Amino acid sequence: MAKTTDDPVAFRFFNEIGIIEQLARALLERNLPDGLKISQFSVLNHLARAGERGEEDWGPARLASAFQVTKGAMTNTLQRLENRGLVLIQADPRDGRGKHVSITDAGRIMRGRCVENVGPLLGQLSREVSDEDFAAALPFLEKIRIYLDSHRS
């Protein structure tokens, strides 16, 4: 790809990531079932994956930190998920002042439906971009993520 600007390469890199994120978000959200928003799917996906790893100690504040959103924004997302029966919010058994969030069976089913709906989109992309290309990009992207995560303020 030809260089199109005199902007620093790191700026161009993050600009591309931002554009990809916007395009991917729009495409995914159009294909999520039952009007689910990407923020809601992201929380369901996170809780499901964390549960598979045995990491089940998630409260609203910890989720907000993980997603880099305000506690109010996360509370709103969690309330919407709870109203749909997709997560359960309970008093933390170790600290009655805190809350504990867990994914319900209905939440796991919804997450599965989301993954199924997105599958064909990823299949189309995989016909254009090989698994090898995706795999080759992962170590570099993980390196950037680890750096940014360790430099949060």
Side-chain angles (χ1 to χ4, degrees):
M1 178 182 284
K3 182 177 173 185
T4 58
T5 73
D6 290 330
D7 291 333
V9 69
F11 177 85
R12 290 175 41 224
F13 171 81
F14 283 107
N15 189 59
E16 287 297 321
I17 287 177
I19 293 167
I20 290 167
E21 191 275 337
Q22 290 171 348
L23 293 169
R25 178 178 290 273
L27 181 65
L28 291 174
E29 205 157 82
R30 282 194 308 268
N31 288 279
L32 292 176
D34 299 331
L36 201 70
K37 300 296 180 198
I38 198 143
S39 58
Q40 297 165 343
F41 166 70
S42 296
V43 170
L44 290 178
N45 190 53
H46 180 84
L47 291 172
R49 293 181 69 228
E52 290 168 3
R53 295 187 306 263
E55 300 172 11
E56 298 184 0
D57 188 23
W58 291 94
R62 185 173 178 207
L63 285 165
S65 177
F67 282 92
Q68 293 288 282
V69 298
T70 65
K71 190 169 181 241
M74 181 55 66
T75 297
N76 181 286
T77 297
L78 292 172
Q79 286 173 343
R80 290 173 188 273
L81 290 169
E82 185 179 42
N83 290 343
R84 294 176 74 159
L86 303 176
V87 299
L88 181 63
I89 304 171
Q90 298 176 299
D92 187 323
R94 292 167 295 160
D95 176 3
R97 298 170 297 166
K99 301 278 185 190
H100 177 79
V101 182
S102 58
I103 189 169
T104 64
D105 289 340
R108 289 183 201 288
I109 291 167
M110 177 61 82
R111 183 227 181 234
R113 287 182 57 207
C114 292
V115 171
E116 286 176 15
N117 281 22
V118 171
L121 303 172
L122 298 178
Q124 292 169 0
L125 179 59
S126 292
R127 287 191 285 282
E128 299 291 325
V129 180
S130 72
D131 284 348
E132 292 79 19
D133 287 339
F134 280 119
L138 284 174
F140 179 69
L141 291 172
E142 289 168 348
K143 184 177 180 179
I144 299 294
R145 176 188 45 81
I146 289 166
Y147 173 85
L148 292 173
D149 194 38
S150 70
H151 288 81
R152 291 188 204 196
S153 49

